[in-house]
Amino acid sequence: MFLLPELYIREATQQGSMFNTWKPMWVVLLEDGIEFYKRKSDNSPKGMIPLKGSTINSPCQDFGKRMFVFKLTAAKQQDHFFQASYLEERDAWVRDIKKAIQCIDGGQRFARKSTRKSIRLPETINLSALYLSMKDPEKGIKELKLEKDKKVFNHCFTGTAVIDWLVSSNSIRNRKEGLMLASSLLNEGYLQPAGDTSKAAAEGLSDTPFLDLSDAYYYFPDSGFFCEGNSSDDDVVLKEEFRGMIVKQGCLLKQGHRRKNWKVRKFVLREDPAYLHYYDPAGGEDPLGAIHLRGCVVTAVEDMPDSKKCDVENNLFEIITASEVHYYLQAASSAERTEWIKAIQTVARTGK
């Protein structure tokens, strides 16, 4: 079984009539098919797409300005549409699905590269519980300020420190098992790479996705991690933005201020100080922009007069800052929109 990131799915029947909404699903690539689940924690898939006789088309331009879409056509001519969060993720999906189809056609067993394959762990290991133990303020992994290549990484730790902790806590028998367990934590999002060395490994450019090295840095996704360039007194205000605890993060569509086009952005919501930073989901530690939320107004929006109908999916909301700058964002579902609005409203009231 091969686990890959969450995708947005839109299905079409053989006759071409479509459901009206895109839905986020947890997708699993098997040797002979694709299973998709409503939630990552579900035991039973919502559906399964056989790969034998299937074809894949990427990029798929069937949905106007919706980005990073690819189409999988099953043997019975049923179309399935998938949307990734960013270009590299879409290309990775397409590459692996094509390889799986080729293996089926050639009578071979499909196996992804060792750097990205799923890791089978004993049933006794609970990654969620292990993650909480790793974050324990007294007995967990210590978060440090580390410097490398003229950059300062705050609230992070080394790959060696992770393996050392796993050994000392008796979670593993040796460092080789530690690499397997740490790689699984990385694949499931409990650990995040910080810096070029660990990111390159996570992207498949090393023998293992996780590195047991003192110069490979990692951080917890909700730790308040931030990276600084050359430090100076002028950076104090910028640093302050990142000192708040992360309350919520995820991908949303954001409308540009000039061209009015929509792009997928990764958003990180922090409290005290209250900031919403947005990033290029393809990578990069520096945000593309920041929204100061203190005193802002956030509301649901049902329609936008300056947008084409095909551009929006009716899950819009608007942030108006204290300085009267308007930001239009689009969630994947109505429920997700509500979650973001409530979280931003809370931070705006309590954060400085």
Side-chain angles (χ1 to χ4, degrees):
M1 181 178 290
F2 306 94
L3 299 181
L4 283 88
E6 187 176 58
L7 293 176
Y8 291 92
I9 294 181
R10 179 170 184 154
E11 294 183 276
T13 64
Q14 185 175 355
Q15 290 76 26
S17 59
M18 297 181 183
F19 296 106
N20 292 324
T21 58
W22 288 79
K23 296 182 179 180
M25 295 284 178
W26 183 258
V27 182
V28 180
L29 176 59
L30 307 173
E31 293 180 1
D32 59 350
I34 292 176
E35 291 181 340
F36 48 96
Y37 298 76
K38 187 174 181 180
R39 288 178 295 270
K40 183 178 175 181
S41 58
D42 289 350
N43 293 322
S44 301
K46 186 177 180 181
M48 194 271 192
I49 307 169
L51 290 179
K52 185 175 182 180
S54 297
T55 58
I56 192 165
N57 179 31
S58 177
C60 175
Q61 306 293 341
D62 292 18
F63 297 96
K65 293 184 179 180
R66 186 171 281 273
M67 301 171 66
F68 315 129
V69 174
F70 64 92
K71 178 172 70 173
L72 181 68
T73 303
K76 294 183 178 181
Q77 299 304 306
Q78 184 178 18
D79 292 332
H80 304 268
F81 299 92
F82 301 83
Q83 182 187 20
S85 296
Y86 50 90
L87 178 63
E88 287 79 3
E89 183 183 58
R90 183 199 66 191
D91 291 347
W93 270 99
V94 171
R95 181 175 61 249
D96 285 332
I97 293 173
K98 280 184 177 179
K99 184 178 178 182
I101 294 173
Q102 291 170 357
C103 288
I104 293 172
D105 293 341
Q108 299 173 324
R109 184 182 177 88
F110 169 57
R112 298 168 71 199
K113 293 181 180 179
S114 61
T115 55
R116 301 180 63 214
K117 67 182 180 182
S118 172
I119 297 170
R120 295 183 181 274
L121 298 172
E123 293 183 359
T124 55
I125 294 181
N126 184 321
L127 293 181
S128 179
L130 182 62
Y131 170 71
L132 294 177
S133 298
M134 295 171 75
K135 289 196 63 184
D136 186 278
E138 296 182 1
K139 298 181 180 180
I141 298 174
K142 303 303 179 186
E143 298 180 42
L144 306 170
K145 177 183 288 188
L146 302 172
E147 187 170 354
K148 181 183 179 183
D149 298 332
K150 297 182 179 180
K151 291 184 177 181
V152 178
F153 299 87
N154 297 267
H155 299 286
C156 69
F157 38 82
T158 68
T160 299
V162 173
I163 305 300
D164 286 345
W165 185 90
L166 291 172
V167 171
S168 64
S169 64
N170 296 318
S171 301
I172 54 172
R173 292 173 294 181
N174 52 56
R175 301 190 79 83
K176 185 176 181 180
E177 283 189 3
L179 274 176
M180 181 178 72
L181 183 53
S183 295
S184 184
L185 288 164
L186 185 69
N187 290 342
E188 295 298 318
Y190 291 108
L191 298 176
Q192 296 291 328
D196 295 338
T197 301
S198 57
K199 284 187 175 182
E203 292 170 0
L205 302 181
S206 181
D207 291 337
T208 58
F210 188 91
L211 297 176
D212 181 6
L213 297 174
S214 60
D215 63 346
Y217 300 161
Y218 300 90
Y219 64 95
F220 297 124
D222 55 354
S223 65
F225 165 82
F226 66 97
C227 176
E228 309 166 41
N230 295 322
S231 298
S232 69
D233 293 339
D234 295 334
D235 294 329
V236 172
V237 175
L238 178 61
K239 296 176 190 175
E240 182 69 18
E241 294 181 11
F242 299 94
R243 287 178 179 165
M245 181 65 70
I246 294 178
V247 176
K248 185 175 177 60
Q249 58 183 320
C251 286
L252 297 167
L253 286 171
K254 175 184 175 294
Q255 188 186 56
H257 280 102
R258 294 182 180 179
R259 299 180 63 184
K260 304 300 181 182
N261 57 340
W262 293 89
K263 291 187 177 181
V264 178
R265 295 290 181 241
K266 177 183 176 182
F267 284 83
V268 178
L269 176 63
R270 292 179 170 90
E271 63 176 353
D272 198 23
Y275 274 91
L276 183 63
H277 294 93
Y278 51 95
Y279 301 76
D280 182 348
E285 288 145 3
D286 297 324
L288 298 175
I291 306 172
H292 191 193
L293 300 175
R294 181 64 175 172
C296 79
V297 175
V298 54
T299 56
V301 177
E302 298 306 325
D303 193 18
M304 291 183 60
D306 58 344
S307 289
K308 296 179 181 178
K309 187 68 176 176
C310 62
D311 289 348
V312 297
E313 294 286 344
N314 297 323
N315 297 312
L316 299 165
F317 62 100
E318 178 185 16
I319 299 173
I320 306 176
T321 67
S323 55
E324 297 188 358
V325 179
H326 294 242
Y327 294 88
Y328 291 98
L329 307 175
Q330 184 179 164
S333 66
S334 176
E336 184 179 324
R337 175 178 69 173
T338 301
E339 290 177 3
W340 274 104
I341 290 175
K342 289 182 177 179
I344 293 171
Q345 286 174 337
T346 300
V347 167
R349 287 195 304 266
T350 60
K352 62 184 180 181

